[in-house]
Amino acid sequence: MNLQPIIRADGLCRRQGLRWVLVHLNFELQTGESLLLAGGNGAGKSTLLRLLSTLTPPSQGELELFGTSVKVNRRPQRNRIGLLGHTNQLYPELTPSDHLQLWSRLAGMELPKGLLDRVELADRAHDPARTFSAGMCKRLALARLMLLNPDLILLDEPFGQLDAQGVSLMQEAVEGWRDQGKTVVLATHLIERGKPLCDRALLLAHGRLKWTGPAAELSASMVAGADS
Amino acid sequence: MNLQPIIRADGLCRRQGLRWVLVHLNFELQTGESLLLAGGNGAGKSTLLRLLSTLTPPSQGELELFGTSVKVNRRPQRNRIGLLGHTNQLYPELTPSDHLQLWSRLAGMELPKGLLDRVELADRAHDPARTFSAGMCKRLALARLMLLNPDLILLDEPFGQLDAQGVSLMQEAVEGWRDQGKTVVLATHLIERGKPLCDRALLLAHGRLKWTGPAAELSASMVAGADS
Amino acid sequence: MTRQRVAAAFALVGLGLLSWGSYLGLWVAPPDRYMGDVQRIMYVHVPTAWLALVVFTLAFVYALLFLIRRTWRWDALHEATLEIGVLYTALLCIQGALWGKPTWGVYWAWDPRLTTVAVMLLSFAGILSLRHFLDDPLRRASWSATATILASANVPVVYYSVRWWNSLHQLQSTPKTVNSAMVEPLRINAFGLLALTIALIMIRSWIAEARRRRDLAPPLPEIEA
Amino acid sequence: MMALLHKEFLLAWRGRARVAASLTFAAATLLMFSFSAGADGRLLQRLAPGFLWLAILLASTLTLQASFDAETQDGALDGLILSASAASIFYAKALTNWLFLAALGFVLLPLIAALFDAQLGALDRLMSVLLLGTAGLAAPGTLYAALAGRSRAAGLMLPLLYFPLVIPALVSSVKASELAFFGDPMNQWGGWMSLLLAFCLIFWSLCGALSTAILEDG
Amino acid sequence: MMALLHKEFLLAWRGRARVAASLTFAAATLLMFSFSAGADGRLLQRLAPGFLWLAILLASTLTLQASFDAETQDGALDGLILSASAASIFYAKALTNWLFLAALGFVLLPLIAALFDAQLGALDRLMSVLLLGTAGLAAPGTLYAALAGRSRAAGLMLPLLYFPLVIPALVSSVKASELAFFGDPMNQWGGWMSLLLAFCLIFWSLCGALSTAILEDG
Ligand code: HEM
Ligand SMILES: Nc1ncnc2c1ncn2[C@@H]1O[C@H](COP(=O)(O)OP(=O)(O)OP(=O)(O)O)[C@@H](O)[C@H]1O
Ligand SMILES: Nc1ncnc2c1ncn2[C@@H]1O[C@H](COP(=O)(O)OP(=O)(O)OP(=O)(O)O)[C@@H](O)[C@H]1O
Ligand SMILES: [Mg+2]
Ligand SMILES: [Mg+2]
């Protein structure tokens, strides 16, 4: 594993509409490290994750992923990024097995067996996704990340909507990725669940970086205090 | 407070598409009691909440709210029900103050001051809801329930997307409703958060009622065990 | 069992009458003075037209009954009449077009009766397609009943407005007094098709009801604690 | 009801860019019509009233759909159904849609006159046709938009159900506008207007009554 | 690319009822046109090619929009953009839309012939006009649907941008169809077809190139 930073943000700013949502963020993340994004509602976590996914460009400042700026050709970077955001990126009319087939074909890989079993959707493999409950959609979205196994994995509120089994599935997945040396960035309000999974934490408040340090040192009171 | 059941389900069934999602539910809830709905992903919690809101009718069996069947005229019942479901029931183009004005006019009540302050949206009172983060939308939806103060309050994953402050706001709101003798039904995967707020619990698995009893007796292992 | 017998009897009587009437129409009745043998289409065309109207009227009645009574039987009958009505109007348009070509020289004319039939076909086909896009049985039943009522209320208005719209371009010859050798096969075919339609509606509504029962009656009544 | 109306106007006001866009859309359709009908000036002139109404009809499908999109996008309709009667929701929406369509028609008039070189004969007559004709479109359109917006193929279902239903309104509006444009030697204008009025009366009451079945069930 | 095409066909297949509905929609539009043009058979016959193309154009807006609705509803497009190139996403969608529109045109032909008493003169010519003309609609339409689908007023933006752009394709398709329907005494058909071909070539390549800007940025 090299020690080149996989993410390097330098004066990173993002404006949405009339509002500066992210202001002058400076941070680095080494390959294989995992990062916990904390912050109150509206702090800018989801926006930062979309920036890191290259789906939205920075309004100002510099963002480097895998050592190259996102302003240059993003195609090679994109193939190495996986995002699980507020949406699940599913087609309502397609079934889980359709989805898996599509994703594996797109990535040009073999479809591993038993993936749907792992996310406990095997008995619903041929029902369209529009008939799924909130947690089942999330599980299918997780299966996508398990399949693609990208180098940089961005998770926005990964524990939302999942039941206890789903949560431990997600935790195992994150641990598995960490063991493989993948980089995980995880934004959540349930910091007690997030902390054991992450090396470092980054606390946002009103779009500004309030604190960064080892994840274990982050406490609920720090998050609550950051907002005011 | 009378001891007439506010909810009475008798052989309640609901079919969605080709699947029986709720099967022969029998339970009662007294006015002023609050109920915790637990169950794994796809157990049928959201579906049950929509049935209780009268927005979807039962496919079979009997459901009585406020002492009258939902098959009869639902208008008087509906004015007494408030639902916070997976959607936030907001208009993307309208601002928080527009929303509050609409809701209070619809209910024919005065708009109390300081409501947006309580949900910490006062400084965004004139931004359209489409520019809000997930948690901010949820807060606005909470403000609606605080304003309308209905007799039967249905909450689907109320803690999702909210930060720590938002969660305690929600908890205070639920406690306030209980003190006023309102009935709250709350579906969540975070049962440790839900238990202190509820008198009784109801455990669903695959659409069937697995267990019902005092909320304090519900444990995570029971929820995990119910599915299999 | 008896229900099935009744339907079978109706179907048999209907088919029998239809073949008898068609025999009379095709071989016994004299050819038309102006149109020749082509005119023999009339023996199916006119009964189809009548029955299409009857079936859509029934659809309207059933839709109304469903909205008032809210019992599934009326929805099954509503579905049956909708589908058969659309089938008949489609057939009617095809027959009419085939007849129109040799007599009027065109497949289609913007004549009030024809236009109204086309509007009816589209309206009710739209409702069938709406039923397809609604998964929830109750929604499907009550929304499509609503649409049927609106569409049916519209048909006379369409007829009236199109007749007026088009008053300058009458293409169709006024119905002449049909000679009695022609009346008989026509009448027989009409009654035959009526009987067949009754059988079809019965059978189709059973199918609808069976489907609904399969869909709605819980196949898993395991009573648990 | 007043609260609902107020909300509809507020939505229209906040989405006024959309309103402007639908105007441009109607203008674009007019342009397309004239292109596909060919360059014959006399013919275009003759077809102008029909094209005016077609443009209104097409723009109406879009705005009707948009007006329910706002309701279904985040489930706002659920909240409304819990706190207001179906009929009041329906009439508030239908009224707003009517006003909008009528306004659209008024704005299109001078455009039509310019594009197709049509004399705007009897302007008072044209105005009343526009008012009544758009009323005829608004009521069934709003009901079907409510229905289509919550079925699976919203964009397709709406025109599919709505077009055949409004044929009488369309036909009589086109005819009445023709008579207003080109003169009315045989004094038929009143007849068409009564037909239109009858259509409006029937469907404004019928749709209001049926809105309960659509908004409260399911 | 094959995976993307496969997905598009799968989506079309799972939504096949929608395909049938859009056919009915096109038929309904034809009916509406004839109502607003009047009952004069000769006139209708003359306008038939124009109506054919207008019906295709209107149906295409609906299907184009539906094809991106499926992508944006739950953010599926985000996932696609991360794992496939913009051009391949664009061409897969454009190709499917083209095939669909061409099929729609073929089905409408006999209907047009029957309804408007238009002789299907040179059928081979008609077919090639349909193929080329729908190709001309599909490429810019898909691009703009991608753009509109991610803006706020999707339903309105698409036709607004798309209609003016495809005017050349529409005009030349209508002209070429007219010549195929009614005969071509002055041998102009080839000219219109070359224009159409040029339009297609330009826009299939241009839109493919621009798709990067629309799908990859923002
Ligand atoms: C409710 C609908 C309809 C009714 C009640 C109806 C009834 C009739 C009747 C009674 C006749 C016989 C007239 C005679 O022999 O003088 C007739 C003739 C005819 N009908 Fe229909 N018809 C209907 C719809 C249609 C449709 C949709 C078409 C489609 C093109 C059509 C095409 C014709 C033709 C071509 C003739 C013979 C031509 C003529 O006698 O002038 N009809 N129809
Ligand atoms: N289009 C927009 N226009 C204006 N402001 C916007 C827009 N989109 C987002 N914002 C603002 O950006 C801020 C950050 O939003 P973001 O969704 O990133 O928050 P978040 O940290 O994910 O919050 P949550 O925990 O609630 O999900 C919020 O204040 C939000 O209002
Ligand atoms: N339209 C539909 N067709 C078929 N099945 C459906 C439909 N809608 C919901 N279901 C099924 O109903 C079951 C219950 O769904 P519901 O959304 O109520 O679950 P839930 O308990 O809220 O789960 P979660 O915790 O994931 O939110 C699921 O198995 C789901 O697949
Ligand atoms: Mg967020
Ligand atoms: Mg749920």
Side-chain angles (χ1 to χ4, degrees), chain B residues 13-18 20 23-24 50 55 57 59-60 208-210, chain C residues 135-139 214-225:
Chain B
C13 298
R14 172 72 196 175
R15 186 181 175 98
Q16 300 271 58
L18 295 179
W20 283 97
V23 189
H24 286 296
R50 276 189 79 84
L55 285 172
S59 304
Q60 226 172 54
R208 288 161 207 273
L209 203 163
K210 279 286 154 175
Chain C
D135 292 328
D136 184 70
L138 180 63
R139 246 188 209 193
R214 185 199 66 195
D215 285 1
L216 221 52
L220 21 90
E222 307 160 36
I223 311 295
E224 291 189 42

Side-chain angles (χ1 to χ4, degrees), chain C residues 47-59 85 88-89 92 116-117 120 155:
Chain C
T48 314
W50 287 344
L51 264 302
L53 292 181
V54 169
V55 170
F56 278 142
T57 314
L58 281 178
Y88 280 13
T89 27
L92 182 64
T116 310
V117 171
M120 254 164 50
V155 168

Side-chain angles (χ1 to χ4, degrees), chain C residues 35 42 45-46 49-50 53 92-93 96-97 99-100 103-104 107-108 113-114 117 172-176:
Chain C
M35 289 184 272
M42 180 185 73
H45 171 76
V46 175
W50 287 344
L53 292 181
L92 182 64
C93 285
W99 195 5
T103 36
W104 301 334
Y107 288 108
W108 190 263
R113 206 154 63 183
L114 270 60
V117 171
Q172 194 165 352
S173 55
T174 43
K176 34 201 162 285

Side-chain angles (χ1 to χ4, degrees), chain A residues 77-132:
Chain A
Q77 299 171 350
R78 286 188 163 172
N79 283 325
R80 302 174 64 185
I81 296 175
L83 170 69
L84 172 52
H86 280 298
T87 55
N88 291 314
Q89 309 180 358
L90 304 179
Y91 294 96
E93 296 297 328
L94 295 191
T95 67
S97 57
D98 292 340
H99 277 105
L100 287 186
Q101 206 181 1
L102 166 67
W103 295 327
S104 59
R105 274 156 159 258
L106 268 181
M109 50 172 62
E110 280 284 291
L111 186 58
K113 284 222 171 103
L115 196 54
L116 284 180
D117 269 322
R118 276 186 67 195
V119 295
E120 294 172 67
L121 287 175
D123 54 329
R124 303 293 289 272
H126 300 290
D127 285 357
R130 91 187 124 75
T131 68
F132 282 7

